[in-house]
Amino acid sequence: MSAPIFEPLGDAALVVRTPAARALLARLWRQPPPGLLDAAPALGQVTLLFDPLHTDAAGLEQAVRGAYSTLTAEAAPPARELTLPVTFGGPDLPWCAAHAGLSEAALVEALCALTFEVAFLGFTPGFAFLTGLPPALQMPRLAAPREQVPDGSVALGGPWAGVYPRATPGGWRLVGHTTFQAFDLSRPEPVPWRAGDRVRFEAQRG
Amino acid sequence: MAEPAQPSRALVVLRPGLQTTVQDAGRRARALGVPGGGAADSTARRLGNALVGNPGTAAGLELTLLGPALRFEAPALVSLCGAPFGATLDGIPLPLWRAVAVQAGQTLDVRGTPAGLRAFLAVRGGLDGQEVFGSRATDPRSGFGGLEGRALRAGDRLTWGAAALAPAPRAHPSPEVRTPLGPHHRLRVLPTPDLTPALEGHLCGPVFTVGAQADRMGVRLTEAVPAPHDPTRPSVPNVPGLVQLPPDGRPILLLPDAGTHGGYPTPLVVIQADQPRLGQLRPGDTLQFEAVPLAVARQALITQERALRQAETALRLHFASV
């Protein structure tokens, strides 16, 4: 495993780049180094927010190096399987089908045959970046983002698929809609997925 | 024998103001995509709470541009800190940066402010509100926290926590610790790996104007700079105070409710010591970015924190003796 790369971001954050970002984050949650306030994961990296009155980037880097050196193949929580009911027929479905050189029905079939993986959460509460789109099904983002994407929209953007948990601006291509709630505070677990979980789309009859 | 009815610790919103929300020190759940939230001027929050004997993280009301009118149903100890809003208590001018005793039945009426944008109204005992991921801060975009996850409306009722009655301290924080207000701001920044020499020339030095889009997510500047555009750029985590550069080149300063991740270049970060100033940027204000070394950022924060703690400690002594 290659050594992590550290890069300060301002005077209160440290970016750690490593393929083992997920395991590192789990470890840091269990044994937080002094001064660590919060952490935000992304693909192959985790950004650590720290209290600059208690530590600095160098001090935190040292603590993270220590945690990293003892990082073993720790028991990750088991991946769960989620099936999302999707009503395909979003405004960008025809464009996406044409871009992929498929009929709409064939694109829907291809999307439903995939198993996605939750890479990380971020952007808005409960939003999951789903990885697993083959290059042929990857769609360029819109040149100008929509001002309002309806909640529940199922969308494709670059290498990612995703579900908008609430209405927000968004630049991904909308291919469908799901009743799946990615953020619901009335549930004991408000966010029903976490990094590593496996996700499939199941086409509903519109 | 029946207990005498306890007067409920509550206030009623007669007029909500422009964007009045329950805020505290914010939450730490970025790994779930949840923004930090919390009062945009953390200095006003800490000093306001200290003036009424609350922990610095207690929830209060954040006022924006035009304040609310509130009728208190029970006696309270309050303070109003931040931008110099005009305020009256039953028609009598209310001093800012002071603890003020409010009698049951009195009305606090907060109007506008000639400079700055926000103030923090602290109530002894701390405001109640929906707690989500360890914070009562209102996130109006996701609709949670505070009062039903939204800004106040007329007719709302807010309650606060029990705390021993205490007289108002005579002590008050010196003006030097307050967050500086506009109309002109110098914001000290640190470069990120996204900063190129060309971009630095466009961003650090020239004067920018705060645009009309200035909310708790971000403050848009009106002057455009040549922005690099890379649609394949991955989404990476945001941190508070980042200066984001969307394709149209008009920089956005990220505030507490900004999304946790973003895909646009972020060439600068405002230093910690200057972040409370972001909460006071008012449309029409002008600002300049000034790149500083990390050591300057660090020293500025230590100096600021020392002054804040001195004020907090002095006020804590007052409440310890009651």
Side-chain angles (χ1 to χ4, degrees), chain B residues 152-171:
Chain B
L152 298 192
R153 292 180 194 148
D156 282 342
R157 206 157 169 277
L158 288 162
T159 58
W160 60 88
L165 280 177
R170 271 200 294 272

PDB file of all heavy atoms in Angstrom, chain B residues 152-171:
ATOM      1  N   LEU B 152     -38.000  31.663  11.482  1.00  0.00           N
ATOM      2  CA  LEU B 152     -39.165  31.976  12.314  1.00  0.00           C
ATOM      3  C   LEU B 152     -40.310  32.562  11.480  1.00  0.00           C
ATOM      4  O   LEU B 152     -40.075  33.216  10.464  1.00  0.00           O
ATOM      5  CB  LEU B 152     -38.793  32.999  13.392  1.00  0.00           C
ATOM      6  CG  LEU B 152     -37.735  32.604  14.423  1.00  0.00           C
ATOM      7  CD1 LEU B 152     -37.738  33.611  15.559  1.00  0.00           C
ATOM      8  CD2 LEU B 152     -37.957  31.196  14.940  1.00  0.00           C
ATOM      9  N   ARG B 153     -41.532  32.295  11.974  1.00  0.00           N
ATOM     10  CA  ARG B 153     -42.736  32.917  11.407  1.00  0.00           C
ATOM     11  C   ARG B 153     -43.502  33.579  12.544  1.00  0.00           C
ATOM     12  O   ARG B 153     -43.352  33.190  13.709  1.00  0.00           O
ATOM     13  CB  ARG B 153     -43.655  31.854  10.799  1.00  0.00           C
ATOM     14  CG  ARG B 153     -43.114  31.180   9.575  1.00  0.00           C
ATOM     15  CD  ARG B 153     -44.136  30.154   9.092  1.00  0.00           C
ATOM     16  NE  ARG B 153     -43.526  29.248   8.123  1.00  0.00           N
ATOM     17  CZ  ARG B 153     -43.874  27.971   7.983  1.00  0.00           C
ATOM     18  NH1 ARG B 153     -44.823  27.457   8.744  1.00  0.00           N
ATOM     19  NH2 ARG B 153     -43.283  27.214   7.083  1.00  0.00           N
ATOM     20  N   ALA B 154     -44.334  34.537  12.174  1.00  0.00           N
ATOM     21  CA  ALA B 154     -45.174  35.181  13.187  1.00  0.00           C
ATOM     22  C   ALA B 154     -46.030  34.115  13.856  1.00  0.00           C
ATOM     23  O   ALA B 154     -46.564  33.227  13.195  1.00  0.00           O
ATOM     24  CB  ALA B 154     -46.053  36.247  12.536  1.00  0.00           C
ATOM     25  N   GLY B 155     -46.155  34.211  15.170  1.00  0.00           N
ATOM     26  CA  GLY B 155     -46.964  33.255  15.917  1.00  0.00           C
ATOM     27  C   GLY B 155     -46.167  32.098  16.489  1.00  0.00           C
ATOM     28  O   GLY B 155     -46.666  31.370  17.351  1.00  0.00           O
ATOM     29  N   ASP B 156     -44.914  31.928  16.039  1.00  0.00           N
ATOM     30  CA  ASP B 156     -44.076  30.866  16.607  1.00  0.00           C
ATOM     31  C   ASP B 156     -43.840  31.129  18.087  1.00  0.00           C
ATOM     32  O   ASP B 156     -43.840  32.278  18.548  1.00  0.00           O
ATOM     33  CB  ASP B 156     -42.718  30.815  15.902  1.00  0.00           C
ATOM     34  CG  ASP B 156     -42.788  30.123  14.554  1.00  0.00           C
ATOM     35  OD1 ASP B 156     -43.769  29.393  14.303  1.00  0.00           O
ATOM     36  OD2 ASP B 156     -41.860  30.319  13.742  1.00  0.00           O
ATOM     37  N   ARG B 157     -43.604  30.041  18.802  1.00  0.00           N
ATOM     38  CA  ARG B 157     -43.307  30.134  20.221  1.00  0.00           C
ATOM     39  C   ARG B 157     -41.991  29.396  20.447  1.00  0.00           C
ATOM     40  O   ARG B 157     -41.828  28.273  19.981  1.00  0.00           O
ATOM     41  CB  ARG B 157     -44.441  29.448  20.985  1.00  0.00           C
ATOM     42  CG  ARG B 157     -44.649  29.918  22.371  1.00  0.00           C
ATOM     43  CD  ARG B 157     -46.099  29.601  22.826  1.00  0.00           C
ATOM     44  NE  ARG B 157     -46.203  29.832  24.245  1.00  0.00           N
ATOM     45  CZ  ARG B 157     -45.833  28.942  25.170  1.00  0.00           C
ATOM     46  NH1 ARG B 157     -45.382  27.760  24.803  1.00  0.00           N
ATOM     47  NH2 ARG B 157     -45.923  29.245  26.458  1.00  0.00           N
ATOM     48  N   LEU B 158     -41.078  30.058  21.128  1.00  0.00           N
ATOM     49  CA  LEU B 158     -39.778  29.433  21.414  1.00  0.00           C
ATOM     50  C   LEU B 158     -39.597  29.365  22.922  1.00  0.00           C
ATOM     51  O   LEU B 158     -39.956  30.299  23.643  1.00  0.00           O
ATOM     52  CB  LEU B 158     -38.642  30.273  20.823  1.00  0.00           C
ATOM     53  CG  LEU B 158     -38.489  30.261  19.299  1.00  0.00           C
ATOM     54  CD1 LEU B 158     -37.647  31.434  18.854  1.00  0.00           C
ATOM     55  CD2 LEU B 158     -37.869  28.949  18.857  1.00  0.00           C
ATOM     56  N   THR B 159     -39.022  28.270  23.383  1.00  0.00           N
ATOM     57  CA  THR B 159     -38.764  28.124  24.810  1.00  0.00           C
ATOM     58  C   THR B 159     -37.259  28.060  25.052  1.00  0.00           C
ATOM     59  O   THR B 159     -36.472  27.874  24.127  1.00  0.00           O
ATOM     60  CB  THR B 159     -39.420  26.847  25.353  1.00  0.00           C
ATOM     61  OG1 THR B 159     -38.914  25.720  24.623  1.00  0.00           O
ATOM     62  CG2 THR B 159     -40.937  26.896  25.171  1.00  0.00           C
ATOM     63  N   TRP B 160     -36.902  28.236  26.306  1.00  0.00           N
ATOM     64  CA  TRP B 160     -35.476  28.133  26.637  1.00  0.00           C
ATOM     65  C   TRP B 160     -35.278  27.327  27.906  1.00  0.00           C
ATOM     66  O   TRP B 160     -36.229  27.059  28.642  1.00  0.00           O
ATOM     67  CB  TRP B 160     -34.827  29.514  26.743  1.00  0.00           C
ATOM     68  CG  TRP B 160     -35.392  30.441  27.778  1.00  0.00           C
ATOM     69  CD1 TRP B 160     -35.026  30.541  29.076  1.00  0.00           C
ATOM     70  CD2 TRP B 160     -36.421  31.426  27.555  1.00  0.00           C
ATOM     71  NE1 TRP B 160     -35.754  31.534  29.690  1.00  0.00           N
ATOM     72  CE2 TRP B 160     -36.617  32.089  28.796  1.00  0.00           C
ATOM     73  CE3 TRP B 160     -37.189  31.809  26.458  1.00  0.00           C
ATOM     74  CZ2 TRP B 160     -37.552  33.108  28.957  1.00  0.00           C
ATOM     75  CZ3 TRP B 160     -38.117  32.823  26.630  1.00  0.00           C
ATOM     76  CH2 TRP B 160     -38.289  33.470  27.866  1.00  0.00           C
ATOM     77  N   GLY B 161     -34.044  26.918  28.119  1.00  0.00           N
ATOM     78  CA  GLY B 161     -33.722  26.008  29.207  1.00  0.00           C
ATOM     79  C   GLY B 161     -33.693  26.695  30.561  1.00  0.00           C
ATOM     80  O   GLY B 161     -33.545  27.913  30.669  1.00  0.00           O
ATOM     81  N   ALA B 162     -33.849  25.877  31.607  1.00  0.00           N
ATOM     82  CA  ALA B 162     -33.831  26.403  32.968  1.00  0.00           C
ATOM     83  C   ALA B 162     -32.424  26.860  33.328  1.00  0.00           C
ATOM     84  O   ALA B 162     -31.448  26.234  32.951  1.00  0.00           O
ATOM     85  CB  ALA B 162     -34.291  25.314  33.937  1.00  0.00           C
ATOM     86  N   ALA B 163     -32.340  27.979  34.007  1.00  0.00           N
ATOM     87  CA  ALA B 163     -31.060  28.446  34.541  1.00  0.00           C
ATOM     88  C   ALA B 163     -31.400  29.336  35.729  1.00  0.00           C
ATOM     89  O   ALA B 163     -32.417  30.031  35.709  1.00  0.00           O
ATOM     90  CB  ALA B 163     -30.276  29.225  33.493  1.00  0.00           C
ATOM     91  N   ALA B 164     -30.557  29.293  36.751  1.00  0.00           N
ATOM     92  CA  ALA B 164     -30.810  30.113  37.931  1.00  0.00           C
ATOM     93  C   ALA B 164     -30.913  31.582  37.520  1.00  0.00           C
ATOM     94  O   ALA B 164     -30.188  32.038  36.627  1.00  0.00           O
ATOM     95  CB  ALA B 164     -29.676  29.923  38.929  1.00  0.00           C
ATOM     96  N   LEU B 165     -31.838  32.281  38.145  1.00  0.00           N
ATOM     97  CA  LEU B 165     -31.946  33.712  37.861  1.00  0.00           C
ATOM     98  C   LEU B 165     -30.626  34.392  38.208  1.00  0.00           C
ATOM     99  O   LEU B 165     -29.974  34.042  39.173  1.00  0.00           O
ATOM    100  CB  LEU B 165     -33.066  34.326  38.698  1.00  0.00           C
ATOM    101  CG  LEU B 165     -34.489  34.120  38.156  1.00  0.00           C
ATOM    102  CD1 LEU B 165     -35.507  34.727  39.119  1.00  0.00           C
ATOM    103  CD2 LEU B 165     -34.635  34.749  36.777  1.00  0.00           C
ATOM    104  N   ALA B 166     -30.240  35.335  37.400  1.00  0.00           N
ATOM    105  CA  ALA B 166     -28.990  36.045  37.664  1.00  0.00           C
ATOM    106  C   ALA B 166     -29.155  37.486  37.227  1.00  0.00           C
ATOM    107  O   ALA B 166     -29.809  37.765  36.226  1.00  0.00           O
ATOM    108  CB  ALA B 166     -27.844  35.391  36.902  1.00  0.00           C
ATOM    109  N   PRO B 167     -28.597  38.412  37.998  1.00  0.00           N
ATOM    110  CA  PRO B 167     -28.631  39.802  37.552  1.00  0.00           C
ATOM    111  C   PRO B 167     -27.699  39.985  36.357  1.00  0.00           C
ATOM    112  O   PRO B 167     -26.773  39.204  36.159  1.00  0.00           O
ATOM    113  CB  PRO B 167     -28.124  40.579  38.769  1.00  0.00           C
ATOM    114  CG  PRO B 167     -27.282  39.607  39.521  1.00  0.00           C
ATOM    115  CD  PRO B 167     -27.839  38.240  39.240  1.00  0.00           C
ATOM    116  N   ALA B 168     -27.963  41.010  35.579  1.00  0.00           N
ATOM    117  CA  ALA B 168     -27.103  41.289  34.430  1.00  0.00           C
ATOM    118  C   ALA B 168     -25.727  41.721  34.917  1.00  0.00           C
ATOM    119  O   ALA B 168     -25.622  42.556  35.808  1.00  0.00           O
ATOM    120  CB  ALA B 168     -27.726  42.385  33.570  1.00  0.00           C
ATOM    121  N   PRO B 169     -24.670  41.139  34.347  1.00  0.00           N
ATOM    122  CA  PRO B 169     -23.328  41.607  34.728  1.00  0.00           C
ATOM    123  C   PRO B 169     -23.113  43.032  34.221  1.00  0.00           C
ATOM    124  O   PRO B 169     -23.651  43.417  33.189  1.00  0.00           O
ATOM    125  CB  PRO B 169     -22.403  40.628  34.010  1.00  0.00           C
ATOM    126  CG  PRO B 169     -23.196  40.075  32.888  1.00  0.00           C
ATOM    127  CD  PRO B 169     -24.632  40.091  33.324  1.00  0.00           C
ATOM    128  N   ARG B 170     -22.361  43.793  34.986  1.00  0.00           N
ATOM    129  CA  ARG B 170     -22.045  45.148  34.511  1.00  0.00           C
ATOM    130  C   ARG B 170     -20.940  45.087  33.472  1.00  0.00           C
ATOM    131  O   ARG B 170     -20.837  45.934  32.611  1.00  0.00           O
ATOM    132  CB  ARG B 170     -21.631  46.029  35.687  1.00  0.00           C
ATOM    133  CG  ARG B 170     -22.819  46.724  36.350  1.00  0.00           C
ATOM    134  CD  ARG B 170     -22.355  47.925  37.162  1.00  0.00           C
ATOM    135  NE  ARG B 170     -21.546  47.506  38.297  1.00  0.00           N
ATOM    136  CZ  ARG B 170     -22.063  47.177  39.492  1.00  0.00           C
ATOM    137  NH1 ARG B 170     -23.362  47.246  39.686  1.00  0.00           N
ATOM    138  NH2 ARG B 170     -21.289  46.806  40.468  1.00  0.00           N
ATOM    139  N   ALA B 171     -20.105  44.040  33.552  1.00  0.00           N
ATOM    140  CA  ALA B 171     -18.988  43.908  32.609  1.00  0.00           C
ATOM    141  C   ALA B 171     -19.514  43.686  31.203  1.00  0.00           C
ATOM    142  O   ALA B 171     -20.599  43.146  31.013  1.00  0.00           O
ATOM    143  CB  ALA B 171     -18.101  42.740  33.020  1.00  0.00           C
TER     144      ALA B 171
END
